Amino acid sequence: CTLAKEPLFSNLDIFLFSLIVGLLIYWFMSRKKPEPIPEFKKAPTTRETSFIEKMKKTGKNIIVFYGSQTGTAEEFANRLSKDAQRYGMKGMAADPEEYDMGELSRLSEIENALAIFCMATYGEGDPTDNAQDFYDWLQENDDEDLSGLNYTVFALGNKTYEHYNAMGKYVDKRLEELGAKRIFDLGLGDDDGNLEEDFISWREQFWPAVCEHFGVEALGDESSIRQYELKEHTDINMNKVYTGEIGRLKSFEVQKPPFDSKNPFLAPVTVNRRLNKGGDRHLMHLELDITGSKIRYESGDHVAVFPTNDSALVNKLGQILGVDLDVVISLNNLDDESNKKHPFPCPTTYRTALTHYLDITHPPRTNVLYELAQYASDPKDQEAMRKMASSSPEGKALYQSWVLDASRNILAILEDMPSLRPPIDHLCELMPRLQARYYSIASSSKVHPNSIHICAVVVEYKTKTGRINKGVATNWLKNKLVTDNGHKSTVPMYIRKSQFRLPFKATNPVIMIGPGTGIAPFMGFIQERGWLKQQGKEVGETVMYFGCRHKNEDYIYQEELEEAERNGVLTQLKVAFSRDQEHKVYVQHLLKNNKEDLWKLIHTENAHIYVCGDARNMAKDVQTTFHEIAEEMGGMMRTQATDYIKKLMTKGRYSQDVWS
C-alpha cells in the first residue's frame, strides 16, 4: 500500500503562523513613534548664517559681536544691545561663530548701522574659542574692503598677563587696516583692577558719541527692559524637563561622543585624596576615569569641569524670596527672532537653574543692581542700588566697597537689604551663567591614557562682613567622594587643548617652575619624560623648581618627585620652602642661585622654560629674574635682556600657564 503524503504545514501551523504575522503587523502599526527629545540649542536647526538678512528682517541697526570664554564678554554684549533701545536704536548680540563674518562689508546696506565688538583675550594672547574662526578670517583676508563699516571695540583682559588685551587690540587695529571707520576709541577692560568700572566708564562716553555720530537724540528711557517672559508649567511630562544637562536633554543619561563644551562627559572619580600633611588649607588630588569616552589629551592640556552650586546657598535663596524652588518654568525670549531662546536650558525648575545654570556666588555686576532696584520697597535701598550702578565717583566707590571689597554675592545683598525682594524669575534672567572651570592636567596620557589627574587647592575665606565664602568648583570637587551612598561620583568634563607642550625633541632640556598647585602640568611632563626614557629614548636634562610654605606641611607630591630624582628622570629638583626660615625664600631666589647652570641650559643647550601658577606675583618675579640672569650672565643691557626673553617666548621656548 502507498503512504499518504503528510502536508508540509498542518492547519494548526498555518493558524499560528498567521497569528504571529498578524500580531507583528499590529505591533508595527500601533507602535508609538518615539517622542523626539527637545534639545536646548542657542539656535534653531535651520540656522540663518546671514546677520545682515536677520538685521534687515528684524529692523536692527546695531550688532554686538562677542568673543567670550567665561561669559563676561557675552554679558557685556547683551547689555550694550539692550542699551541701544534706550537710544531709539535696535541692537542684537551675536556669536561670531554662528554667522558668516565675511558679510561685515555689507553692513553699510543698513542705515545708521554699527558693529560693536566685545572681545576677550584668553590664555597667552589668544582669541576665545568662539572667536577663533573670526580671528583666522581677519588674518587671511588682506583684500577685504570694509570701508562701509562703522565699528568700535571694547576689549576684556587682565593686566597681570603678558599679552594684555591682545585680541581686542588686534581686532581694533585690523578693522581699521581693512578700511573700516572707528567711531569711538578702543575700550580696555582690566579684570585685575575693576572690569565693571572700566566698562561703565567707557560705555558712559560711548553712547553720546554714537548719538552724535548718527545725529540721534537719547530717549533717556532708563526703565527696566525685560528680555524674557516667564511661563510656569503645571502639567508637564518630567522627561521633558532639564535637570542640569548642558546641551542635549537627557545627555547625562545617554552619553554620546564626541564630548566637548556643549556635550560634557560624566567621568567617574576614582581617587580623591588630600595632598598636604598639615596646615589649614586643603590641597587635593583627583583622578577622573575617561575609559570608553574616546577622549584624548596631551600633557599640558586643560580639563574643564562643570561644577554645581552649594545646595545650602540655593535653599537660602528660595527661603528669603519665599519661593517653591521645584516649580517647573521656562523663560522665553520676547524677541522671537533671537538665536537665544532661553537664558539657560528650559523647561527646568528654579532649583535646577540656581544649582546648575546660574552664577550665584560672584558679586553681581552693576546692571543687576540697577534692574533689581525697582523691587526695593525702601526708597533708601532703591537709591543706594541705583547710585552703585551709576558712573558717579561716589556711586563707583560705594559699589567697590559695599559689593566688591565686601565680596557680597546676591544672597548677602538680599540679607543685608531686607526691603529688596525681587521676583525670582527676573533674578534668574539677570544672573550670569555658571561657567566651566579649567584645571591644568596633572598626568600624561602616555602613562595614563584612561585617566585625567587634577591638583587643586580648596578656596574658602572670610569676608569683611564675617561670612564664609567658598569657591564653587573646589568645594564641589572636594566633596566628590569615590563612592557616595554606593553610587559612583561623576564629574561633567571635557578637554581644552593648550599650547603648553613639551619640546618636540626629547633631547631638549626642560626647566619647569611651578610652586604650589602650579606643579600640576609638570607632574604630567615628568611622567612623560620618564616614559620616554623607558622607551629607550635619549632625554635631555629635566629640571624642576617647586615651592611651598613648609616642608612638613604642603610639600605636595614629595614622594613622586623624589622618586623621579632617584630614577634620573628629574636631573635636578630644587625646592623653596618659603616659611621654614626667618626670611622668605621663593622659587625666583633659587633660580638666581643657579644662574650659571640655567644660563648654560638656556643659551647653549636650547632649553625650554615653563612657568605655571600665580600670574600676579610669581610669574612676573620669575620673568624679572630671567631678565637679570640674561643681563649678568650674557653681559646684556636691561633692554637687550628683556628682548632676549621676549624672543624665547616668540619661539615657543618660554611658555606660561598662569592664572590670577
Side-chain angles (χ1 to χ4, degrees), residues 151-177:
Y151 79 95
T152 189
V153 179
F154 183 81
L156 296 84
N158 186 316
K159 269 211 175 91
T160 57
Y161 292 88
E162 182 73 21
H163 307 277
Y164 174 55
N165 267 324
M167 183 61 185
K169 290 172 181 172
Y170 173 74
V171 170
D172 182 61
K173 177 172 124 294
R174 186 64 176 145
L175 291 172
E176 185 178 48
E177 284 170 5

Side-chain angles (χ1 to χ4, degrees), residues 37 248-256 263:
I37 294 178
R248 182 172 49 85
L249 187 66
K250 301 280 172 249
S251 60
F252 285 172
E253 286 171 34
V254 184
Q255 292 247 285
K256 293 180 191 151
N263 180 35

Side-chain angles (χ1 to χ4, degrees), residues 224-283:
S224 163
I225 304 159
R226 287 292 298 260
Q227 216 175 331
Y228 298 93
E229 65 179 344
L230 171 68
K231 181 176 178 6
E232 288 192 8
H233 303 278
T234 40
D235 52 343
I236 188 168
N237 175 352
M238 290 311 277
N239 278 330
K240 299 212 167 39
V241 177
Y242 282 88
T243 55
E245 304 92 326
I246 303 300
R248 182 172 49 85
L249 187 66
K250 301 280 172 249
S251 60
F252 285 172
E253 286 171 34
V254 184
Q255 292 247 285
K256 293 180 191 151
F259 297 105
D260 55 27
S261 59
K262 307 274 194 303
N263 180 35
F265 175 67
L266 288 182
V269 177
T270 54
V271 175
N272 182 350
R273 63 183 169 94
R274 184 173 173 153
L275 284 169
N276 49 324
K277 304 178 192 76
D280 48 5
R281 295 182 306 160
H282 183 98
L283 292 116

Side-chain angles (χ1 to χ4, degrees), residues 598-615:
L598 286 166
W599 182 247
K600 184 165 127 312
L601 287 173
I602 298 164
H603 196 61
T604 57
E605 295 179 31
N606 237 355
H608 285 230
I609 302 166
Y610 300 91
V611 182
C612 180
D614 161 57

Side-chain angles (χ1 to χ4, degrees), residues 103-176:
E103 286 198 327
L104 283 172
S105 56
R106 289 182 54 203
L107 204 57
S108 53
E109 294 173 17
I110 295 166
E111 198 186 348
N112 282 359
L114 168 67
I116 306 172
F117 295 86
C118 287
M119 307 307 284
T121 300
Y122 187 72
E124 295 299 291
D126 305 315
T128 56
D129 293 348
N130 77 315
Q132 184 66 54
D133 292 347
F134 173 47
Y135 175 74
D136 294 342
W137 178 83
L138 283 173
Q139 283 197 305
E140 288 155 17
N141 290 286
D142 284 332
D143 47 358
E144 194 69 37
D145 177 15
L146 297 182
S147 52
L149 174 68
N150 293 312
Y151 79 95
T152 189
V153 179
F154 183 81
L156 296 84
N158 186 316
K159 269 211 175 91
T160 57
Y161 292 88
E162 182 73 21
H163 307 277
Y164 174 55
N165 267 324
M167 183 61 185
K169 290 172 181 172
Y170 173 74
V171 170
D172 182 61
K173 177 172 124 294
R174 186 64 176 145
L175 291 172
E176 185 178 48

Side-chain angles (χ1 to χ4, degrees), residues 198-237:
D198 295 337
F199 176 64
I200 290 176
S201 307
W202 177 83
R203 174 176 159 238
E204 180 82 352
Q205 296 173 301
F206 163 69
W207 283 114
V210 172
C211 292
E212 194 181 332
H213 184 270
F214 291 128
V216 293
E217 283 283 315
L219 295 182
D221 175 17
E222 289 292 318
S223 64
S224 163
I225 304 159
R226 287 292 298 260
Q227 216 175 331
Y228 298 93
E229 65 179 344
L230 171 68
K231 181 176 178 6
E232 288 192 8
H233 303 278
T234 40
D235 52 343
I236 188 168
N237 175 352

